[in-house]
Amino acid sequence: MTRRAKSFKVVIHGDSFADRQADIETALGDKFRIVAVGLGAAAEEKQAAFDDAVAAITVRYDAATPAPASLRLVQVPGIGWDDIDLAHIPPGANVCNVGGHETGVAEYAVAQMLEWCHRLRPAEESFRRGSWERSSRFGAAPHRELSGSTIGIVGFGAIGRVLARLLRGFGVRILVANRSPIPDGSGVDGRFALSDLPAMAAECDFLLVALALTQETRGLVDRAALDALGAKGVLVNVARGPVVDETALWQALSDRRLGGAVIDVWYRYPPAEDADQRPGHYPFETLPNLVMTPHLSGWTAGTVERRLAFMVENIRRAAEARPLLNVVSSPSTRAGRTPPAHIPDTGRGKQ
């Protein structure tokens, strides 16, 4: 008996989620066939992979990517779609992104604020070296508590809302600056317009940046905002690097006009083969009042599972010609009727 051919082809273009190919195929069922092809594959191999595909999972779509008329969905496996060149998307395809990283990013931010207050890592390192300098038995000064702090959240989208929910249990005062009004019942203690960011920062112990990069928000956290946050304030950026003015950040940290910063998102994302792997245009790695991580806050096991389930659902919708989720570019927007609310960044990693 001849086995019935599978109806829909899905291509995984690149490394992102290629290691979950079997899981995606299992979740989708027998009506789907998954084909993986590398970003650097030969043109003929790419063409064969994309031929008759209904959906593609990829972080990159450019002139070297085949554009079959059958393609209905270009599914970016993360929130950033900077390497998707809309000029080369097939006319009938939608581009969709996926979140799911909100919990991981929010937990990272809370953990970093707790660490900033309690300084457990340096205490453990010095104790391993034989020092009791952080002990009250040997005259150490008490460390801070997060409780009682005022925390400003810049951006009240998915990440900002999870942050506020997690922070409420710590007995903090929560202020929010946002582009749109904050609804009643959100559990915040103060609301500000983005244009009033310095005024909000002046009241904060920690300022958390968690909003998208747009023309409006590029450089939003500038010298005035950092100076208002002041020598006892701490900036935490889990959004996009350029939302915070790079030169202003470097100068404020170097001059100690800003108490400190925790930065997970950057200004340079060099390719692996680049000899200069610095994440910025200044030597941030030399600053003692900076905690820096390589854009990892949202890359958790939970994020991966949530994104996997979301993408499977969107692929099913594409195959069944149902409305798609998280559309960031559609045939109508590319025709010029509605401009996309997005501007390119310099690389966003997997988040």
Side-chain angles (χ1 to χ4, degrees):
M1 183 176 180
T2 304
R3 186 177 179 181
R4 180 182 172 187
K6 295 184 178 179
S7 303
F8 302 108
K9 181 197 280 188
V10 179
V11 57
I12 301 176
H13 180 219
D15 294 335
S16 190
F17 281 87
D19 60 333
R20 302 298 296 270
Q21 178 176 344
D23 296 327
I24 295 171
E25 193 155 16
T26 297
L28 285 170
D30 289 342
K31 289 185 178 181
F32 293 83
R33 179 165 61 97
I34 313 298
V35 176
V37 64
L39 293 175
E44 298 80 6
E45 185 180 356
K46 282 192 179 186
Q47 189 64 57
F50 273 83
D51 276 348
D52 300 320
V54 69
I57 298 173
T58 185
V59 296
R60 183 182 303 169
Y61 210 110
D62 55 21
T65 310
S70 59
L71 203 65
R72 302 175 192 171
L73 168 65
V74 175
Q75 178 65 64
V76 180
I79 198 72
W81 47 284
D82 306 87
D83 289 330
I84 304 297
D85 189 339
L86 299 180
H88 297 288
I89 298 296
N94 291 275
V95 179
C96 299
N97 67 352
V98 56
H101 59 307
E102 298 86 5
T103 297
V105 174
E107 287 186 359
Y108 167 96
V110 173
Q112 291 286 14
M113 286 189 292
L114 288 168
E115 169 61 23
W116 195 277
C117 290
H118 294 273
R119 298 293 190 178
L120 300 178
R121 190 175 299 113
E124 194 260 355
E125 290 172 352
S126 69
F127 192 47
R128 281 180 179 273
R129 295 192 300 267
S131 172
W132 289 74
E133 62 186 356
R134 287 289 302 278
S135 171
S136 62
R137 291 173 177 261
F138 292 82
H143 45 271
R144 292 173 58 180
E145 295 178 348
L146 185 60
S147 178
S149 299
T150 295
I151 298 175
I153 302 174
V154 186
F156 206 61
I159 294 173
R161 291 192 297 272
V162 176
L163 265 169
R165 176 171 56 81
L166 294 181
L167 286 168
R168 286 181 200 122
F170 286 94
V172 300
R173 177 173 173 245
I174 300 173
L175 309 179
V176 172
N178 200 47
R179 285 174 287 193
S180 56
I182 307 299
D184 293 336
S186 299
V188 304
D189 300 296
R191 299 166 171 82
F192 293 80
L194 291 182
S195 57
D196 294 330
L197 185 58
M200 185 178 85
E203 298 186 35
C204 293
D205 299 290
F206 293 91
L207 187 69
L208 302 178
V209 184
L211 80 175
L213 177 66
T214 67
Q215 294 290 3
E216 178 188 4
T217 64
R218 182 178 290 273
L220 174 71
V221 183
D222 56 10
R223 175 164 183 161
L226 296 175
D227 283 350
L229 187 55
K232 293 185 178 180
V234 178
L235 175 77
V236 181
N237 189 4
V238 292
R240 290 293 178 253
V243 175
V244 179
D245 182 275
E246 184 180 12
T247 299
L249 176 63
W250 166 258
Q251 291 175 343
L253 288 170
S254 299
D255 299 343
R256 299 299 181 100
R257 289 183 285 106
L258 177 65
V262 176
I263 307 296
D264 185 53
V265 288
W266 293 96
Y267 306 94
R268 294 183 69 249
Y269 286 79
E273 63 272 14
D274 193 332
D276 183 1
Q277 292 292 305
R278 291 180 304 164
H281 301 92
Y282 299 93
F284 285 99
E285 67 277 3
T286 65
L287 296 173
N289 53 346
L290 171 66
V291 174
M292 51 194 299
T293 53
H295 203 146
L296 57 78
S297 60
W299 193 236
T300 66
T303 294
V304 172
E305 295 307 317
R306 287 185 289 271
R307 287 182 174 177
L308 187 68
F310 180 98
M311 292 190 296
V312 165
E313 172 62 19
N314 240 12
I315 291 167
R316 286 200 188 104
R317 286 171 176 249
E320 297 166 6
R322 292 189 287 134
L324 299 174
L325 306 171
N326 278 28
V327 176
V328 295
S329 175
S330 67
S332 62
T333 62
R334 294 195 297 278
R337 289 192 284 274
T338 307
H342 164 271
I343 60 173
D345 197 353
T346 54
R348 298 186 174 182
K350 290 185 176 179
Q351 293 180 40

